[in-house]
Amino acid sequence: MLAIAVVVFGSLLPVQDLPEVGVSDKFEHFLAYAVLSAGAVQLFQRRLSWGFVCVVLVFLGIGLEYLQGAMGMGRAADRMDALANTVGVLIGLATAFTPLRDLLLRFDRRL
């Protein structure tokens, strides 16, 4: 929940308050949503839950883009950002079919 709150907060900050990180904002969008989606794969066991979370994340990304344009705080709605969010969600979901699927469980066993 904290990761989602950070993404929402960062998405709605005024443009002048955004830090410069030196990478493309599309990559930032992609990475944020890939991490959120991969986190859902780690937290939920059922594939139906993964699908539900991924659909919610896609709608969250689209909704936040809409809000950026509607708030009038120097941010604009960008369809390419929404596309980067969606691709990130799909890549995060794809981790379910890799050895990364149980990464947190393996980490937890070591502690």
Side-chain angles (χ1 to χ4, degrees):
M1 296 306 285
L2 179 62
I4 293 171
V6 167
V7 168
V8 169
F9 181 75
S11 296
L12 298 178
L13 277 176
V15 71
Q16 65 269 17
D17 294 339
L18 293 174
E20 284 291 327
V21 290
V23 297
S24 165
D25 74 318
K26 305 302 182 260
F27 181 73
E28 292 173 15
H29 284 264
F30 166 80
L31 186 61
Y33 282 83
V35 167
L36 291 177
S37 181
V41 167
Q42 297 289 310
L43 293 174
F44 299 107
Q45 186 174 13
R46 296 179 43 208
R47 289 182 182 194
L48 183 62
S49 298
W50 300 341
F52 176 75
V53 169
C54 288
V55 168
V56 169
L57 288 174
V58 168
F59 281 120
L60 175 68
I62 292 169
L64 287 172
E65 285 303 317
Y66 173 78
L67 285 174
Q68 285 177 353
M71 289 175 59
M73 297 176 67
R75 307 280 304 258
D78 185 349
R79 290 181 181 167
M80 295 307 290
D81 285 349
L83 178 61
N85 298 343
T86 301
V87 172
V89 168
L90 294 174
I91 295 299
L93 178 61
T95 63
F97 308 103
T98 70
L100 297 174
R101 163 66 182 103
D102 296 320
L103 185 64
L104 288 181
L105 287 174
R106 289 187 299 231
F107 179 74
D108 188 44
R109 287 185 197 131
R110 290 184 178 174
L111 296 178

